[in-house]
Amino acid sequence: MINFEFLEANKKSLREEYLFAKPFPYLVIDNFCDEAKLTKAYKSIPELENKSRDYVFANNKFEKSNYRVLCAEFDELYQELNSERMNSFLSFITNEEVFVDPKNFGGGLHQGKKNSFLDMHLDFNYHPLNKDWFRNLNLLLYLNADWKPSYGGHLKVQDLRNNDSKELEVPFNRMIIQQTRAFTLHGYDQTHFPDGIFRTSIATYAYTKHLRHIEKPRTTDWFPKENDSVLKKFMAQHYNTAVQMKNKLFGSRTAKNQ
């Protein structure tokens, strides 16, 4: 399913692309999967009904964590993303010991419907169950068939240290591997897809084991736009505290992969 032969034959140049990318390390890989298999998998995707829990910071965004049940091709993709072969490739390009979360907590199939958006944010940094797993990478595989730049939905990346930013196109069968740190903001602006066509992607997360925490554990940190409402900015400011309190009382739904 995954074009491992290409990845391994070009791993040295891909590592350079990743490490020297600006505003922070990321890697764009086109034709990441076998085109015919991925197209067949894409055609198996229904319109999703499970709405994202990002509330006011995302609009019309839906998800399915266990996408592998949709078809044999998605199951094959899931298995290969979790393989030692994939872990070895990721460790080489990042020059760190990296492994994909075998249960992919918080990840899965994401579907942005009409006028969807996702505000700029920092992801949670330590795994909700395995407390010594530091989130190192986002692996974002895009499934936007016949995508056009006018549809929007570009992945926006921004370095919080200096505000340098870039917009990355999201066509079908493009994998974007993105470093996750305390300064790696990302999100996407409101989309303009035609009716019945959605911004579609599969999110997978990779980690590195730490002997001790190098950062204070956090949930998602949101960064609203300057012209957003006072209420939205207030909610962003207190979101981390509210989620941590909720998790202590009721447990983490992300940890339960629900």
Side-chain angles (χ1 to χ4, degrees):
M1 184 72 169
I2 295 175
N3 288 322
F4 279 116
E5 290 76 14
F6 170 81
L7 300 182
E8 291 163 352
N10 296 277
K11 64 180 184 179
K12 290 185 178 179
S13 61
L14 293 173
R15 174 165 65 177
E16 289 182 1
E17 287 182 37
Y18 172 81
L19 292 174
F20 289 103
K22 298 293 184 182
F24 50 75
Y26 72 86
L27 178 62
V28 174
I29 305 173
D30 287 320
N31 301 310
F32 182 75
C33 291
D34 178 275
E35 188 83 5
K37 286 186 175 182
L38 194 62
T39 298
K40 185 176 180 181
Y42 171 74
K43 291 180 179 178
S44 75
I45 301 174
E47 184 170 351
L48 302 184
E49 298 179 354
N50 183 35
K51 197 164 189 179
S52 167
R53 299 186 300 275
D54 293 328
Y55 308 109
V56 298
F57 306 108
N59 181 59
N60 234 5
K61 183 171 171 280
F62 294 75
E63 55 194 32
K64 181 177 180 61
S65 59
N66 191 19
Y67 66 90
R68 63 189 298 187
V69 302
L70 293 176
C71 65
E73 289 75 17
F74 272 143
D75 184 61
E76 182 180 359
L77 173 63
Y78 186 93
Q79 297 288 351
E80 292 188 1
L81 284 170
N82 283 280
S83 67
E84 284 305 312
R85 198 173 183 183
M86 191 66 193
N87 290 342
S88 177
F89 171 74
L90 295 174
S91 296
F92 183 85
I93 65 166
T94 60
N95 199 33
E96 299 184 72
E97 289 298 320
V98 178
F99 59 93
V100 170
D101 177 4
K103 295 188 176 180
N104 201 22
F105 286 159
L109 179 65
H110 295 163
Q111 192 178 78
K113 298 185 183 180
K114 190 175 180 66
N115 298 326
S116 72
F117 64 78
L118 180 64
D119 281 342
M120 299 297 280
H121 63 282
L122 301 175
D123 293 313
F124 67 81
N125 53 356
Y126 284 97
H127 194 281
L129 292 181
N130 301 285
K131 305 298 185 181
D132 59 342
W133 290 13
F134 178 77
R135 185 160 165 178
N136 197 317
L137 298 171
N138 289 343
L139 283 67
L140 306 172
L141 178 60
Y142 291 96
L143 305 175
N144 298 315
D146 302 317
W147 180 82
K148 296 178 176 61
S150 59
Y151 294 171
H154 299 66
L155 176 64
K156 296 175 61 178
V157 292
Q158 179 181 343
D159 190 324
L160 190 59
R161 298 170 297 183
N162 54 26
N163 287 337
D164 284 353
S165 63
K166 187 174 289 187
E167 291 192 358
L168 307 176
E169 296 190 345
V170 289
F172 187 79
N173 204 3
R174 169 170 286 187
M175 168 64 80
I176 298 179
I177 299 174
Q178 174 222 312
Q179 184 186 71
T180 55
R181 295 293 188 272
F183 52 84
T184 56
L185 286 175
H186 52 284
Y188 67 89
D189 289 336
Q190 183 170 304
T191 61
H192 307 284
F193 281 69
D195 290 342
I197 301 178
F198 312 124
R199 185 189 191 275
T200 308
S201 62
I202 289 176
T204 304
Y205 308 131
Y207 294 81
T208 296
K209 285 188 178 181
H210 283 177
L211 293 177
R212 60 188 61 83
H213 284 177
I214 61 169
E215 299 175 1
K216 181 180 179 181
R218 66 168 184 273
T219 61
T220 306
D221 278 353
W222 296 99
F223 290 76
K225 297 182 178 68
E226 288 187 9
N227 60 351
D228 281 332
S229 69
V230 173
L231 176 60
K232 189 173 186 178
K233 292 176 181 178
F234 177 85
M235 293 177 68
Q237 184 178 0
H238 298 282
Y239 182 86
N240 205 320
T241 301
V243 170
Q244 289 177 339
M245 184 177 299
K246 185 271 295 181
N247 289 346
K248 287 181 180 180
L249 294 174
F250 305 107
S252 167
R253 290 183 65 188
T254 298
K256 297 172 184 175
N257 207 23
Q258 295 178 347

